[in-house]
Amino acid sequence: MNNIWSKYVQGINTLYYTRKLRFNDMFAQEYKALFDLDESKKLKILEIGCGPGALAGALHRWYPNAEVTAIDRDSEFIRFANENEKGVEFIEADATNLPFDNNIFDVTISNTVAEHIEPSKFYGEQLRVLKTNGICLVLSARKGINIYPKCLDLNEYEKEFWKKVQKYDDSTEKYSVCQYPMSEMEMPIVMQKYGFKDICTGYATIDLTPDNPKLSSTLAHEIINANRLTTLDGIESVLHTMPEHFTKEEVDEMKRLTNSKFNIRIEQYNCGEKQWDTYVSVIMSMRGKK
């Protein structure tokens, strides 16, 4: 079993519920315009590094005629995805050694994966499994906007906790996180270098503002609670990544404080006390052809 990423880098709740928001159906047309795929065809789509399955699930909804397969090397992600996203074939596999024959997929797609894998392997395997004129889609999170409500301000206890985390956290180096970062200019150049043509780029802007009256109350609650779960995942992870520096009591107190603050934010929303906190994701999309 390989659960390194889900245990030590990004937890299931962090990836699944934030991505469920970023790939909410309200943004489907924005993404589909960037992907420019023929929806009438029975496309064979492969997602590389699917995590807990949120994007794969969206692809299944957006392209109902397609056959969607998704791979990730983290066993816990694949287990969770199989339990929570139906209509997709989830397989535990390595992006640098795909368990598929040559020339069988019409589309490959990945989201925030390219920066973690050596480019010749990342693009080489996709080039191999794509059919002639097959499409490679690479999504990459760029700098967005995160404005938090005042009720989430850190007290001194929390500040000291996160200061200690920063001091001892070596997970980025230890688990080779983001070893191949690239700018918006570099990414298409590298894609072309490793065999793709007719490359184009575009951007999706995903505006998640709970107090925006255009959003349903259900979605507003999901936004607030996704941030809650991300924070709780980060707190919990220290017991795995640096157990010698933190006690369970410290972690439990941080969780208590965190839940109390997010409960206040939920109550503010329910009472109509607008805070105008906002979480805007900017997703770069690259599209290349084999």
Side-chain angles (χ1 to χ4, degrees):
M1 172 182 279
N2 179 346
N3 64 347
I4 289 174
W5 201 275
S6 59
K7 187 172 183 179
Y8 299 109
V9 183
Q10 288 176 303
I12 288 174
N13 288 334
T14 296
L15 285 186
Y16 186 68
Y17 292 104
T18 57
R19 289 182 180 182
K20 285 284 280 187
L21 292 169
R22 291 190 186 116
F23 299 112
N24 188 283
D25 289 347
M26 69 184 292
F27 305 116
Q29 293 309 313
E30 191 170 358
Y31 283 114
K32 288 166 79 171
L34 294 171
F35 298 167
D36 192 20
L37 303 177
D38 188 341
E39 297 179 51
S40 66
K41 291 185 177 180
K42 293 185 177 181
L43 299 170
K44 291 191 67 174
I45 301 175
L46 172 65
E47 185 187 357
I48 307 290
C50 64
L55 173 55
L59 293 170
H60 175 63
R61 297 192 304 274
W62 299 347
Y63 301 99
N65 292 326
E67 176 186 319
V68 181
T69 303
I71 67 102
D72 199 286
R73 66 179 182 178
D74 190 294
S75 311
E76 279 300 295
F77 285 157
I78 295 301
R79 178 198 61 76
F80 183 93
N82 274 314
E83 291 177 358
N84 291 276
E85 293 291 346
K86 304 306 178 184
V88 176
E89 182 181 14
F90 291 101
I91 300 172
E92 186 177 339
D94 190 334
T96 65
N97 186 24
L98 296 172
F100 307 110
D101 293 334
N102 298 347
N103 311 310
I104 62 170
F105 289 101
D106 300 289
V107 180
T108 59
I109 185 170
S110 61
N111 174 51
T112 64
V113 176
E115 59 265 37
H116 306 299
I117 302 176
E118 195 279 318
S120 67
K121 296 177 182 178
F122 176 73
Y123 287 110
E125 275 294 89
Q126 292 181 73
L127 200 67
R128 180 181 67 79
V129 301
L130 279 168
K131 299 175 184 177
T132 300
N133 293 320
I135 301 299
C136 175
L137 298 168
V138 177
L139 306 184
S140 175
R142 314 315 288 180
K143 185 177 181 180
I145 301 171
N146 290 291
I147 307 297
Y148 298 94
K150 291 293 292 181
C151 65
L152 298 186
D153 284 352
L154 301 180
N155 64 25
E156 288 305 314
Y157 183 90
E158 293 167 306
K159 288 177 183 178
E160 287 302 314
F161 180 92
W162 291 117
K163 190 182 295 184
K164 190 159 69 165
V165 170
Q166 189 174 29
K167 179 179 179 180
Y168 294 111
D169 185 15
D170 63 352
S171 58
T172 298
E173 295 78 18
K174 190 173 183 178
Y175 302 112
S176 300
V177 177
C178 202
Q179 295 296 297
Y180 305 95
M182 296 180 203
S183 70
E184 293 83 355
M185 294 175 63
E186 292 170 322
M187 289 179 66
I189 293 171
V190 170
M191 190 182 207
Q192 183 175 27
K193 176 182 177 181
Y194 290 107
F196 288 92
K197 61 185 180 181
D198 299 341
I199 296 166
C200 57
T201 64
Y203 296 84
T205 303
I206 309 306
D207 180 359
L208 299 170
T209 304
D211 289 327
N212 186 339
K214 293 182 180 179
L215 302 186
S216 69
S217 61
T218 298
L219 186 55
H221 280 82
E222 288 175 357
I223 294 168
I224 296 168
N225 282 317
N227 285 303
R228 180 203 301 262
L229 291 170
T230 298
T231 305
L232 292 173
D233 263 3
I235 295 167
E236 178 71 23
S237 72
V238 304
L239 292 178
H240 304 301
T241 56
M242 52 192 90
E244 67 276 19
H245 298 295
F246 291 91
T247 66
K248 185 178 183 300
E249 289 71 25
E250 287 178 286
V251 168
D252 286 346
E253 176 62 9
M254 282 293 294
K255 288 181 179 179
R256 185 192 69 78
L257 291 168
T258 295
N259 277 316
S260 176
K261 290 181 177 185
F262 277 98
N263 288 344
I264 290 171
R265 180 63 189 100
I266 290 287
E267 185 62 25
Q268 288 171 333
Y269 176 82
N270 291 342
C271 292
E273 298 175 15
K274 293 184 180 293
Q275 306 301 304
W276 293 109
D277 46 322
T278 189
Y279 313 92
V280 179
S281 298
V282 178
I283 310 296
M284 180 180 180
S285 171
M286 286 198 306
R287 183 184 190 276
K289 185 182 292 185
K290 175 175 175 178

